[in-house]
Amino acid sequence: CVAPTEAAALHAALMPAVGWVTRWLPVFLVPVQVMLPTIAFPGGAAEAAGLIAFLTGAWLSTLTVSAHVSKGLLNMLPHRA
């Protein structure tokens, strides 16, 4: 059993993380087409633009790495004459 003062201290220490998870959970765990229009970005348009830029950059990076891996694996195959 945990003493009430220790429980209150633990609760206070974890609340910033709980707030962050609560704010971003719908963005990544619910289909974007359903939840994104209902999300109120606390940072306004700048935060929304940053999120879109991040997701676009991550998508482009994944595409680029996948292309290079595919090209490298294709080069490892024996060539036919």
Side-chain angles (χ1 to χ4, degrees):
C1 194
V2 180
T5 55
E6 293 172 359
L10 181 63
H11 180 266
L14 293 176
M15 280 313 292
V18 170
W20 185 86
V21 168
T22 303
R23 184 174 86 184
W24 289 106
L25 191 66
V27 175
F28 294 105
L29 293 180
V30 176
V32 175
Q33 294 85 358
V34 174
M35 288 301 298
L36 199 54
T38 65
I39 295 172
F41 289 100
E47 187 176 3
L51 176 63
I52 291 170
F54 171 75
L55 292 175
T56 302
W59 177 75
L60 287 173
S61 297
T62 301
L63 200 62
T64 303
V65 169
S66 297
H68 284 292
V69 168
S70 298
K71 186 176 179 183
L73 291 173
L74 188 61
N75 287 336
M76 291 171 53
L77 291 174
H79 296 288
R80 295 183 187 185

Short mmCIF file of all heavy atoms in Angstrom, two decimals:
data_model
loop_
_atom_site.label_atom_id
_atom_site.label_comp_id
_atom_site.label_asym_id
_atom_site.label_seq_id
_atom_site.Cartn_x
_atom_site.Cartn_y
_atom_site.Cartn_z
N CYS A 1 0.84 -1.17 0.00
CA CYS A 1 0.00 0.00 0.00
C CYS A 1 0.89 1.25 0.00
O CYS A 1 1.95 1.26 0.61
CB CYS A 1 -0.90 -0.03 1.22
SG CYS A 1 -2.23 1.15 1.10
N VAL A 2 0.47 2.29 -0.66
CA VAL A 2 1.25 3.52 -0.77
C VAL A 2 0.61 4.59 0.11
O VAL A 2 -0.61 4.74 0.14
CB VAL A 2 1.29 3.99 -2.24
CG1 VAL A 2 2.08 5.26 -2.38
CG2 VAL A 2 1.85 2.90 -3.13
N ALA A 3 1.47 5.33 0.79
CA ALA A 3 0.98 6.41 1.65
C ALA A 3 0.33 7.49 0.78
O ALA A 3 0.74 7.71 -0.36
CB ALA A 3 2.12 7.01 2.45
N PRO A 4 -0.70 8.17 1.29
CA PRO A 4 -1.41 9.18 0.50
C PRO A 4 -0.50 10.30 -0.01
O PRO A 4 -0.67 10.76 -1.14
CB PRO A 4 -2.46 9.73 1.46
CG PRO A 4 -2.66 8.65 2.46
CD PRO A 4 -1.35 7.95 2.58
N THR A 5 0.48 10.72 0.78
CA THR A 5 1.36 11.80 0.32
C THR A 5 2.25 11.33 -0.82
O THR A 5 2.50 12.07 -1.77
CB THR A 5 2.22 12.33 1.47
OG1 THR A 5 2.94 11.24 2.06
CG2 THR A 5 1.37 13.01 2.53
N GLU A 6 2.71 10.08 -0.73
CA GLU A 6 3.54 9.53 -1.81
C GLU A 6 2.70 9.34 -3.08
O GLU A 6 3.17 9.58 -4.19
CB GLU A 6 4.17 8.21 -1.38
CG GLU A 6 5.19 8.36 -0.28
CD GLU A 6 5.65 7.01 0.25
OE1 GLU A 6 5.16 5.97 -0.24
OE2 GLU A 6 6.50 7.01 1.14
N ALA A 7 1.48 8.90 -2.92
CA ALA A 7 0.59 8.72 -4.07
C ALA A 7 0.31 10.06 -4.74
O ALA A 7 0.29 10.17 -5.97
CB ALA A 7 -0.71 8.05 -3.64
N ALA A 8 0.10 11.09 -3.94
CA ALA A 8 -0.16 12.42 -4.49
C ALA A 8 1.08 12.95 -5.23
O ALA A 8 0.96 13.56 -6.30
CB ALA A 8 -0.57 13.39 -3.39
N ALA A 9 2.25 12.69 -4.68
CA ALA A 9 3.49 13.13 -5.34
C ALA A 9 3.69 12.39 -6.66
O ALA A 9 4.08 12.99 -7.67
CB ALA A 9 4.69 12.91 -4.41
N LEU A 10 3.42 11.09 -6.66
CA LEU A 10 3.53 10.31 -7.89
C LEU A 10 2.52 10.77 -8.93
O LEU A 10 2.85 10.92 -10.11
CB LEU A 10 3.33 8.82 -7.58
CG LEU A 10 3.44 7.86 -8.75
CD1 LEU A 10 4.84 7.90 -9.34
CD2 LEU A 10 3.08 6.46 -8.32
N HIS A 11 1.32 11.04 -8.48
CA HIS A 11 0.27 11.54 -9.38
C HIS A 11 0.69 12.87 -9.99
O HIS A 11 0.56 13.08 -11.21
CB HIS A 11 -1.04 11.70 -8.61
CG HIS A 11 -2.16 12.20 -9.45
ND1 HIS A 11 -2.48 13.52 -9.52
CD2 HIS A 11 -3.02 11.54 -10.27
CE1 HIS A 11 -3.51 13.68 -10.35
NE2 HIS A 11 -3.86 12.50 -10.82
N ALA A 12 1.20 13.77 -9.19
CA ALA A 12 1.63 15.08 -9.70
C ALA A 12 2.80 14.95 -10.66
O ALA A 12 2.89 15.68 -11.65
CB ALA A 12 2.02 15.98 -8.52
N ALA A 13 3.70 14.00 -10.40
CA ALA A 13 4.86 13.81 -11.29
C ALA A 13 4.45 13.24 -12.64
O ALA A 13 5.07 13.55 -13.66
CB ALA A 13 5.88 12.89 -10.62
N LEU A 14 3.40 12.40 -12.67
CA LEU A 14 3.00 11.76 -13.92
C LEU A 14 2.00 12.56 -14.74
O LEU A 14 1.78 12.26 -15.91
CB LEU A 14 2.40 10.38 -13.62
CG LEU A 14 3.39 9.35 -13.07
CD1 LEU A 14 2.65 8.07 -12.74
CD2 LEU A 14 4.50 9.08 -14.06
N MET A 15 1.39 13.58 -14.18
CA MET A 15 0.35 14.33 -14.89
C MET A 15 0.83 15.01 -16.18
O MET A 15 0.09 15.01 -17.16
CB MET A 15 -0.30 15.36 -13.97
CG MET A 15 -1.35 14.73 -13.05
SD MET A 15 -2.51 13.61 -13.88
CE MET A 15 -3.42 14.75 -14.88
N PRO A 16 2.04 15.57 -16.27
CA PRO A 16 2.46 16.14 -17.57
C PRO A 16 2.50 15.08 -18.68
O PRO A 16 2.08 15.34 -19.80
CB PRO A 16 3.85 16.71 -17.28
CG PRO A 16 3.86 16.97 -15.82
CD PRO A 16 3.01 15.89 -15.21
N ALA A 17 2.98 13.89 -18.36
CA ALA A 17 3.03 12.82 -19.36
C ALA A 17 1.62 12.38 -19.74
O ALA A 17 1.34 12.13 -20.92
CB ALA A 17 3.84 11.64 -18.83
N VAL A 18 0.73 12.30 -18.78
CA VAL A 18 -0.65 11.91 -19.06
C VAL A 18 -1.32 12.94 -19.97
O VAL A 18 -2.03 12.59 -20.91
CB VAL A 18 -1.44 11.73 -17.74
CG1 VAL A 18 -2.93 11.58 -18.01
CG2 VAL A 18 -0.91 10.55 -16.96
N GLY A 19 -1.05 14.21 -19.71
CA GLY A 19 -1.60 15.26 -20.57
C GLY A 19 -1.09 15.17 -21.99
O GLY A 19 -1.85 15.34 -22.95
N TRP A 20 0.22 14.89 -22.14
CA TRP A 20 0.80 14.77 -23.48
C TRP A 20 0.19 13.58 -24.22
O TRP A 20 -0.19 13.70 -25.40
CB TRP A 20 2.32 14.60 -23.37
CG TRP A 20 3.00 14.60 -24.69
CD1 TRP A 20 3.41 15.67 -25.41
CD2 TRP A 20 3.32 13.44 -25.48
NE1 TRP A 20 3.98 15.26 -26.58
CE2 TRP A 20 3.93 13.90 -26.65
CE3 TRP A 20 3.16 12.09 -25.30
CZ2 TRP A 20 4.39 13.04 -27.63
CZ3 TRP A 20 3.60 11.23 -26.30
CH2 TRP A 20 4.21 11.72 -27.44
N VAL A 21 0.09 12.43 -23.55
CA VAL A 21 -0.48 11.24 -24.19
C VAL A 21 -1.94 11.47 -24.55
O VAL A 21 -2.39 11.11 -25.64
CB VAL A 21 -0.33 10.01 -23.27
CG1 VAL A 21 -1.15 8.84 -23.77
CG2 VAL A 21 1.13 9.61 -23.16
N THR A 22 -2.67 12.12 -23.66
CA THR A 22 -4.08 12.39 -23.92
C THR A 22 -4.25 13.29 -25.14
O THR A 22 -5.16 13.11 -25.94
CB THR A 22 -4.73 13.05 -22.68
OG1 THR A 22 -4.56 12.18 -21.57
CG2 THR A 22 -6.20 13.29 -22.90
N ARG A 23 -3.35 14.24 -25.31
CA ARG A 23 -3.45 15.17 -26.43
C ARG A 23 -3.11 14.51 -27.75
O ARG A 23 -3.75 14.76 -28.77
CB ARG A 23 -2.52 16.36 -26.19
CG ARG A 23 -2.65 17.42 -27.26
CD ARG A 23 -1.86 18.64 -26.94
NE ARG A 23 -0.49 18.44 -27.40
CZ ARG A 23 0.49 19.29 -27.21
NH1 ARG A 23 0.27 20.38 -26.53
NH2 ARG A 23 1.68 19.05 -27.67
N TRP A 24 -2.09 13.64 -27.79
CA TRP A 24 -1.63 13.09 -29.06
C TRP A 24 -2.14 11.69 -29.36
O TRP A 24 -1.98 11.19 -30.48
CB TRP A 24 -0.10 13.08 -29.09
CG TRP A 24 0.41 14.46 -29.22
CD1 TRP A 24 0.99 15.21 -28.25
CD2 TRP A 24 0.37 15.29 -30.38
NE1 TRP A 24 1.32 16.44 -28.73
CE2 TRP A 24 0.95 16.53 -30.04
CE3 TRP A 24 -0.11 15.13 -31.67
CZ2 TRP A 24 1.05 17.56 -30.94
CZ3 TRP A 24 0.00 16.16 -32.56
CH2 TRP A 24 0.58 17.36 -32.20
N LEU A 25 -2.77 11.02 -28.43
CA LEU A 25 -3.27 9.67 -28.66
C LEU A 25 -4.24 9.58 -29.84
O LEU A 25 -4.10 8.69 -30.68
CB LEU A 25 -3.93 9.15 -27.37
CG LEU A 25 -4.28 7.67 -27.33
CD1 LEU A 25 -3.00 6.84 -27.36
CD2 LEU A 25 -5.04 7.36 -26.07
N PRO A 26 -5.18 10.49 -29.98
CA PRO A 26 -6.09 10.37 -31.13
C PRO A 26 -5.40 10.55 -32.48
O PRO A 26 -5.85 10.01 -33.48
CB PRO A 26 -7.09 11.51 -30.92
CG PRO A 26 -6.99 11.87 -29.49
CD PRO A 26 -5.60 11.54 -29.08
N VAL A 27 -4.29 11.26 -32.51
CA VAL A 27 -3.62 11.50 -33.79
C VAL A 27 -3.02 10.22 -34.34
O VAL A 27 -3.06 9.96 -35.53
CB VAL A 27 -2.53 12.58 -33.62
CG1 VAL A 27 -1.73 12.75 -34.90
CG2 VAL A 27 -3.15 13.90 -33.21
N PHE A 28 -2.47 9.37 -33.47
CA PHE A 28 -1.74 8.21 -33.94
C PHE A 28 -2.46 6.88 -33.78
O PHE A 28 -2.08 5.91 -34.41
CB PHE A 28 -0.37 8.14 -33.25
CG PHE A 28 0.51 9.30 -33.63
CD1 PHE A 28 0.73 10.34 -32.75
CD2 PHE A 28 1.08 9.36 -34.89
CE1 PHE A 28 1.54 11.42 -33.12
CE2 PHE A 28 1.87 10.43 -35.26
CZ PHE A 28 2.09 11.46 -34.37
N LEU A 29 -3.49 6.80 -32.94
CA LEU A 29 -4.14 5.52 -32.71
C LEU A 29 -5.56 5.44 -33.24
O LEU A 29 -6.20 4.40 -33.13
CB LEU A 29 -4.13 5.19 -31.21
CG LEU A 29 -2.74 4.95 -30.64
CD1 LEU A 29 -2.83 4.64 -29.16
CD2 LEU A 29 -2.02 3.83 -31.35
N VAL A 30 -6.09 6.50 -33.80
CA VAL A 30 -7.42 6.51 -34.40
C VAL A 30 -7.23 6.96 -35.84
O VAL A 30 -6.38 7.79 -36.12
CB VAL A 30 -8.34 7.49 -33.63
CG1 VAL A 30 -9.70 7.61 -34.28
CG2 VAL A 30 -8.48 7.05 -32.19
N PRO A 31 -7.99 6.43 -36.77
CA PRO A 31 -7.81 6.87 -38.16
C PRO A 31 -7.87 8.40 -38.28
O PRO A 31 -8.75 9.05 -37.74
CB PRO A 31 -8.99 6.23 -38.88
CG PRO A 31 -9.34 5.04 -38.05
CD PRO A 31 -9.02 5.42 -36.63
N VAL A 32 -6.91 8.92 -38.98
CA VAL A 32 -6.76 10.37 -39.10
C VAL A 32 -7.99 11.00 -39.75
O VAL A 32 -8.42 12.08 -39.36
CB VAL A 32 -5.48 10.70 -39.90
CG1 VAL A 32 -5.37 12.17 -40.15
CG2 VAL A 32 -4.27 10.19 -39.16
N GLN A 33 -8.57 10.32 -40.70
CA GLN A 33 -9.73 10.88 -41.38
C GLN A 33 -10.89 11.11 -40.42
O GLN A 33 -11.73 11.96 -40.64
CB GLN A 33 -10.18 9.97 -42.52
CG GLN A 33 -9.21 9.85 -43.65
CD GLN A 33 -8.15 8.79 -43.38
OE1 GLN A 33 -8.11 8.16 -42.34
NE2 GLN A 33 -7.27 8.58 -44.34
N VAL A 34 -10.93 10.36 -39.33
CA VAL A 34 -12.02 10.47 -38.38
C VAL A 34 -11.74 11.55 -37.35
O VAL A 34 -12.60 12.38 -37.05
CB VAL A 34 -12.25 9.11 -37.67
CG1 VAL A 34 -13.28 9.24 -36.56
CG2 VAL A 34 -12.66 8.06 -38.67
N MET A 35 -10.53 11.57 -36.78
CA MET A 35 -10.26 12.41 -35.61
C MET A 35 -9.58 13.74 -35.92
O MET A 35 -9.74 14.68 -35.16
CB MET A 35 -9.38 11.65 -34.62
CG MET A 35 -10.11 10.54 -33.90
SD MET A 35 -11.55 11.06 -32.97
CE MET A 35 -10.84 12.14 -31.77
N LEU A 36 -8.80 13.84 -36.98
CA LEU A 36 -8.02 15.06 -37.20
C LEU A 36 -8.86 16.32 -37.28
O LEU A 36 -8.47 17.34 -36.72
CB LEU A 36 -7.15 14.91 -38.44
CG LEU A 36 -5.97 15.86 -38.56
CD1 LEU A 36 -5.10 15.79 -37.31
CD2 LEU A 36 -5.15 15.57 -39.78
N PRO A 37 -10.03 16.30 -37.92
CA PRO A 37 -10.83 17.53 -37.93
C PRO A 37 -11.33 17.95 -36.55
O PRO A 37 -11.66 19.10 -36.35
CB PRO A 37 -12.00 17.19 -38.84
CG PRO A 37 -11.54 16.06 -39.67
CD PRO A 37 -10.58 15.29 -38.81
N THR A 38 -11.37 17.03 -35.60
CA THR A 38 -11.90 17.37 -34.28
C THR A 38 -10.82 17.76 -33.28
O THR A 38 -11.13 18.16 -32.17
CB THR A 38 -12.68 16.18 -33.69
OG1 THR A 38 -11.77 15.10 -33.47
CG2 THR A 38 -13.79 15.77 -34.63
N ILE A 39 -9.55 17.62 -33.65
CA ILE A 39 -8.46 17.91 -32.73
C ILE A 39 -8.24 19.41 -32.66
O ILE A 39 -8.09 20.08 -33.68
CB ILE A 39 -7.16 17.21 -33.17
CG1 ILE A 39 -7.33 15.70 -33.10
CG2 ILE A 39 -5.99 17.64 -32.31
CD1 ILE A 39 -6.18 14.95 -33.70
N ALA A 40 -8.21 19.93 -31.45
CA ALA A 40 -7.90 21.34 -31.24
C ALA A 40 -6.42 21.44 -30.91
O ALA A 40 -5.99 21.05 -29.83
CB ALA A 40 -8.74 21.91 -30.11
N PHE A 41 -5.62 21.92 -31.84
CA PHE A 41 -4.19 22.04 -31.61
C PHE A 41 -3.94 23.22 -30.69
O PHE A 41 -4.27 24.36 -31.03
CB PHE A 41 -3.44 22.25 -32.93
CG PHE A 41 -3.40 21.02 -33.79
CD1 PHE A 41 -4.27 20.86 -34.85
CD2 PHE A 41 -2.50 20.02 -33.53
CE1 PHE A 41 -4.24 19.74 -35.63
CE2 PHE A 41 -2.45 18.88 -34.31
CZ PHE A 41 -3.32 18.74 -35.36
N PRO A 42 -3.36 22.98 -29.50
CA PRO A 42 -3.12 24.07 -28.55
C PRO A 42 -2.20 25.15 -29.13
O PRO A 42 -2.33 26.31 -28.78
CB PRO A 42 -2.46 23.39 -27.36
CG PRO A 42 -2.81 21.96 -27.49
CD PRO A 42 -2.98 21.69 -28.95
N GLY A 43 -1.29 24.75 -30.02
CA GLY A 43 -0.37 25.71 -30.61
C GLY A 43 -0.94 26.39 -31.84
O GLY A 43 -0.26 27.18 -32.49
N GLY A 44 -2.16 26.06 -32.21
CA GLY A 44 -2.80 26.69 -33.36
C GLY A 44 -2.29 26.15 -34.68
O GLY A 44 -1.85 25.00 -34.79
N ALA A 45 -2.32 27.01 -35.66
CA ALA A 45 -1.94 26.61 -37.02
C ALA A 45 -0.46 26.25 -37.11
O ALA A 45 -0.08 25.38 -37.89
CB ALA A 45 -2.27 27.73 -38.00
N ALA A 46 0.37 26.90 -36.30
CA ALA A 46 1.80 26.60 -36.35
C ALA A 46 2.08 25.16 -35.91
O ALA A 46 2.90 24.46 -36.52
CB ALA A 46 2.57 27.57 -35.47
N GLU A 47 1.39 24.70 -34.88
CA GLU A 47 1.58 23.33 -34.42
C GLU A 47 1.03 22.34 -35.44
O GLU A 47 1.64 21.30 -35.71
CB GLU A 47 0.91 23.11 -33.07
CG GLU A 47 1.21 21.76 -32.48
CD GLU A 47 0.62 21.57 -31.10
OE1 GLU A 47 -0.09 22.47 -30.61
OE2 GLU A 47 0.87 20.51 -30.52
N ALA A 48 -0.10 22.64 -36.04
CA ALA A 48 -0.67 21.77 -37.07
C ALA A 48 0.26 21.69 -38.28
O ALA A 48 0.48 20.61 -38.83
CB ALA A 48 -2.05 22.28 -37.48
N ALA A 49 0.82 22.82 -38.68
CA ALA A 49 1.76 22.84 -39.81
C ALA A 49 3.02 22.04 -39.47
O ALA A 49 3.56 21.33 -40.32
CB ALA A 49 2.12 24.27 -40.18
N GLY A 50 3.49 22.15 -38.24
CA GLY A 50 4.65 21.37 -37.82
C GLY A 50 4.39 19.88 -37.86
O GLY A 50 5.24 19.10 -38.28
N LEU A 51 3.20 19.48 -37.43
CA LEU A 51 2.84 18.06 -37.47
C LEU A 51 2.76 17.57 -38.91
O LEU A 51 3.28 16.50 -39.24
CB LEU A 51 1.50 17.84 -36.77
CG LEU A 51 0.95 16.41 -36.82
CD1 LEU A 51 1.88 15.45 -36.09
CD2 LEU A 51 -0.44 16.36 -36.24
N ILE A 52 2.16 18.35 -39.78
CA ILE A 52 2.07 17.96 -41.19
C ILE A 52 3.46 17.89 -41.82
O ILE A 52 3.76 16.96 -42.58
CB ILE A 52 1.15 18.93 -41.96
CG1 ILE A 52 -0.30 18.73 -41.49
CG2 ILE A 52 1.26 18.75 -43.46
CD1 ILE A 52 -1.27 19.77 -41.99
N ALA A 53 4.32 18.84 -41.50
CA ALA A 53 5.69 18.82 -42.02
C ALA A 53 6.45 17.59 -41.52
O ALA A 53 7.16 16.93 -42.29
CB ALA A 53 6.42 20.09 -41.63
N PHE A 54 6.28 17.27 -40.25
CA PHE A 54 6.94 16.09 -39.69
C PHE A 54 6.47 14.81 -40.37
O PHE A 54 7.27 13.96 -40.76
CB PHE A 54 6.69 16.00 -38.18
CG PHE A 54 7.16 14.72 -37.56
CD1 PHE A 54 8.51 14.50 -37.35
CD2 PHE A 54 6.26 13.73 -37.22
CE1 PHE A 54 8.95 13.31 -36.79
CE2 PHE A 54 6.68 12.55 -36.66
CZ PHE A 54 8.04 12.33 -36.44
N LEU A 55 5.15 14.66 -40.52
CA LEU A 55 4.61 13.45 -41.14
C LEU A 55 5.03 13.35 -42.61
O LEU A 55 5.34 12.26 -43.10
CB LEU A 55 3.09 13.43 -41.01
CG LEU A 55 2.57 13.25 -39.58
CD1 LEU A 55 1.04 13.36 -39.57
CD2 LEU A 55 3.01 11.93 -38.99
N THR A 56 5.07 14.48 -43.31
CA THR A 56 5.50 14.48 -44.71
C THR A 56 6.98 14.10 -44.81
O THR A 56 7.36 13.29 -45.66
CB THR A 56 5.26 15.86 -45.34
OG1 THR A 56 3.86 16.18 -45.24
CG2 THR A 56 5.68 15.89 -46.80
N GLY A 57 7.80 14.66 -43.95
CA GLY A 57 9.23 14.33 -43.95
C GLY A 57 9.47 12.87 -43.63
O GLY A 57 10.32 12.21 -44.24
N ALA A 58 8.72 12.34 -42.66
CA ALA A 58 8.87 10.93 -42.31
C ALA A 58 8.45 10.03 -43.46
O ALA A 58 9.11 9.02 -43.75
CB ALA A 58 8.04 10.62 -41.06
N TRP A 59 7.37 10.40 -44.16
CA TRP A 59 6.92 9.62 -45.30
C TRP A 59 7.96 9.63 -46.41
O TRP A 59 8.28 8.59 -46.99
CB TRP A 59 5.58 10.17 -45.80
CG TRP A 59 5.07 9.46 -47.02
CD1 TRP A 59 4.50 8.23 -47.09
CD2 TRP A 59 5.12 9.95 -48.36
NE1 TRP A 59 4.18 7.93 -48.38
CE2 TRP A 59 4.55 8.96 -49.19
CE3 TRP A 59 5.58 11.13 -48.94
CZ2 TRP A 59 4.44 9.12 -50.55
CZ3 TRP A 59 5.46 11.27 -50.31
CH2 TRP A 59 4.89 10.28 -51.10
N LEU A 60 8.51 10.80 -46.71
CA LEU A 60 9.53 10.90 -47.76
C LEU A 60 10.79 10.13 -47.38
O LEU A 60 11.42 9.48 -48.23
CB LEU A 60 9.86 12.36 -48.05
CG LEU A 60 8.79 13.14 -48.81
CD1 LEU A 60 9.15 14.62 -48.88
CD2 LEU A 60 8.60 12.57 -50.20
N SER A 61 11.17 10.18 -46.12
CA SER A 61 12.35 9.44 -45.67
C SER A 61 12.13 7.93 -45.81
O SER A 61 13.02 7.21 -46.26
CB SER A 61 12.67 9.77 -44.21
OG SER A 61 12.98 11.13 -44.08
N THR A 62 10.96 7.47 -45.44
CA THR A 62 10.65 6.05 -45.57
C THR A 62 10.67 5.63 -47.03
O THR A 62 11.21 4.57 -47.37
CB THR A 62 9.26 5.76 -44.97
OG1 THR A 62 9.27 6.14 -43.60
CG2 THR A 62 8.89 4.30 -45.09
N LEU A 63 10.12 6.45 -47.89
CA LEU A 63 10.12 6.16 -49.32
C LEU A 63 11.54 6.08 -49.88
O LEU A 63 11.88 5.16 -50.63
CB LEU A 63 9.31 7.24 -50.04
CG LEU A 63 8.78 6.93 -51.41
CD1 LEU A 63 7.80 5.79 -51.36
CD2 LEU A 63 8.10 8.17 -51.98
N THR A 64 12.38 7.02 -49.49
CA THR A 64 13.76 7.06 -49.97
C THR A 64 14.56 5.85 -49.48
O THR A 64 15.27 5.21 -50.25
CB THR A 64 14.44 8.36 -49.51
OG1 THR A 64 13.67 9.46 -49.98
CG2 THR A 64 15.85 8.47 -50.04
N VAL A 65 14.45 5.55 -48.19
CA VAL A 65 15.19 4.41 -47.64
C VAL A 65 14.71 3.11 -48.28
O VAL A 65 15.53 2.25 -48.63
CB VAL A 65 15.05 4.37 -46.10
CG1 VAL A 65 15.56 3.05 -45.54
CG2 VAL A 65 15.79 5.54 -45.47
N SER A 66 13.41 2.96 -48.49
CA SER A 66 12.89 1.76 -49.12
C SER A 66 13.41 1.60 -50.54
O SER A 66 13.76 0.50 -50.97
CB SER A 66 11.36 1.79 -49.15
OG SER A 66 10.84 1.81 -47.86
N ALA A 67 13.49 2.71 -51.28
CA ALA A 67 14.01 2.65 -52.64
C ALA A 67 15.49 2.23 -52.65
O ALA A 67 15.90 1.41 -53.48
CB ALA A 67 13.84 4.00 -53.33
N HIS A 68 16.27 2.78 -51.73
CA HIS A 68 17.69 2.43 -51.68
C HIS A 68 17.89 0.98 -51.24
O HIS A 68 18.77 0.29 -51.78
CB HIS A 68 18.44 3.38 -50.74
CG HIS A 68 18.69 4.72 -51.34
ND1 HIS A 68 19.53 4.94 -52.39
CD2 HIS A 68 18.18 5.94 -51.01
CE1 HIS A 68 19.54 6.22 -52.70
NE2 HIS A 68 18.72 6.85 -51.87
N VAL A 69 17.10 0.49 -50.31
CA VAL A 69 17.20 -0.90 -49.89
C VAL A 69 16.81 -1.81 -51.05
O VAL A 69 17.49 -2.81 -51.31
CB VAL A 69 16.33 -1.17 -48.64
CG1 VAL A 69 16.19 -2.66 -48.37
CG2 VAL A 69 16.92 -0.47 -47.43
N SER A 70 15.76 -1.48 -51.76
CA SER A 70 15.34 -2.29 -52.91
C SER A 70 16.42 -2.32 -53.98
O SER A 70 16.72 -3.38 -54.55
CB SER A 70 14.05 -1.73 -53.52
OG SER A 70 13.02 -1.78 -52.59
N LYS A 71 17.00 -1.17 -54.24
CA LYS A 71 18.06 -1.10 -55.26
C LYS A 71 19.28 -1.92 -54.82
O LYS A 71 19.88 -2.63 -55.62
CB LYS A 71 18.46 0.36 -55.47
CG LYS A 71 19.43 0.57 -56.59
CD LYS A 71 19.70 2.05 -56.80
CE LYS A 71 20.70 2.28 -57.89
NZ LYS A 71 21.01 3.71 -58.06
N GLY A 72 19.63 -1.83 -53.53
CA GLY A 72 20.76 -2.62 -53.03
C GLY A 72 20.51 -4.11 -53.10
O GLY A 72 21.39 -4.89 -53.48
N LEU A 73 19.30 -4.53 -52.76
CA LEU A 73 18.98 -5.97 -52.85
C LEU A 73 18.94 -6.44 -54.29
O LEU A 73 19.35 -7.55 -54.60
CB LEU A 73 17.63 -6.23 -52.17
CG LEU A 73 17.61 -6.08 -50.64
CD1 LEU A 73 16.19 -6.21 -50.13
CD2 LEU A 73 18.52 -7.10 -50.00
N LEU A 74 18.46 -5.58 -55.19
CA LEU A 74 18.42 -5.95 -56.61
C LEU A 74 19.84 -6.10 -57.15
O LEU A 74 20.10 -7.00 -57.96
CB LEU A 74 17.66 -4.87 -57.40
CG LEU A 74 17.35 -5.19 -58.85
CD1 LEU A 74 16.47 -6.43 -58.95
CD2 LEU A 74 16.67 -4.01 -59.49
N ASN A 75 20.76 -5.26 -56.71
CA ASN A 75 22.14 -5.35 -57.16
C ASN A 75 22.82 -6.62 -56.63
O ASN A 75 23.84 -7.05 -57.18
CB ASN A 75 22.94 -4.12 -56.74
CG ASN A 75 22.56 -2.92 -57.57
OD1 ASN A 75 22.07 -3.05 -58.68
ND2 ASN A 75 22.76 -1.74 -57.01
N MET A 76 22.31 -7.20 -55.56
CA MET A 76 22.90 -8.42 -55.01
C MET A 76 22.50 -9.66 -55.78
O MET A 76 23.14 -10.71 -55.65
CB MET A 76 22.51 -8.57 -53.52
CG MET A 76 23.15 -7.52 -52.64
SD MET A 76 22.52 -7.51 -50.95
CE MET A 76 22.70 -9.19 -50.45
N LEU A 77 21.43 -9.56 -56.60
CA LEU A 77 21.00 -10.70 -57.38
C LEU A 77 21.99 -10.96 -58.53
O LEU A 77 22.60 -10.02 -59.05
CB LEU A 77 19.61 -10.45 -57.98
CG LEU A 77 18.45 -10.41 -56.98
CD1 LEU A 77 17.17 -9.99 -57.72
CD2 LEU A 77 18.28 -11.75 -56.32
N PRO A 78 22.14 -12.22 -58.92
CA PRO A 78 23.01 -12.51 -60.07
C PRO A 78 22.42 -11.89 -61.34
O PRO A 78 21.22 -11.94 -61.57
CB PRO A 78 23.07 -14.03 -60.13
CG PRO A 78 21.94 -14.52 -59.30
CD PRO A 78 21.56 -13.42 -58.36
N HIS A 79 23.30 -11.32 -62.15
CA HIS A 79 22.85 -10.70 -63.40
C HIS A 79 22.85 -11.73 -64.52
O HIS A 79 23.72 -12.55 -64.64
CB HIS A 79 23.78 -9.53 -63.78
CG HIS A 79 23.75 -8.42 -62.78
ND1 HIS A 79 22.67 -7.59 -62.66
CD2 HIS A 79 24.63 -8.02 -61.85
CE1 HIS A 79 22.90 -6.70 -61.72
NE2 HIS A 79 24.10 -6.95 -61.19
N ARG A 80 21.80 -11.64 -65.35
CA ARG A 80 21.73 -12.55 -66.50
C ARG A 80 22.39 -11.87 -67.70
O ARG A 80 22.23 -10.69 -67.92
CB ARG A 80 20.28 -12.87 -66.85
CG ARG A 80 19.58 -13.63 -65.76
CD ARG A 80 18.18 -13.98 -66.19
NE ARG A 80 17.47 -14.56 -65.06
CZ ARG A 80 16.26 -15.04 -65.14
NH1 ARG A 80 15.60 -14.99 -66.29
NH2 ARG A 80 15.67 -15.54 -64.09
N ALA A 81 23.07 -12.65 -68.50
CA ALA A 81 23.76 -12.10 -69.66
C ALA A 81 22.91 -12.14 -70.89
O ALA A 81 21.95 -12.75 -71.07
CB ALA A 81 25.04 -12.86 -69.92
#
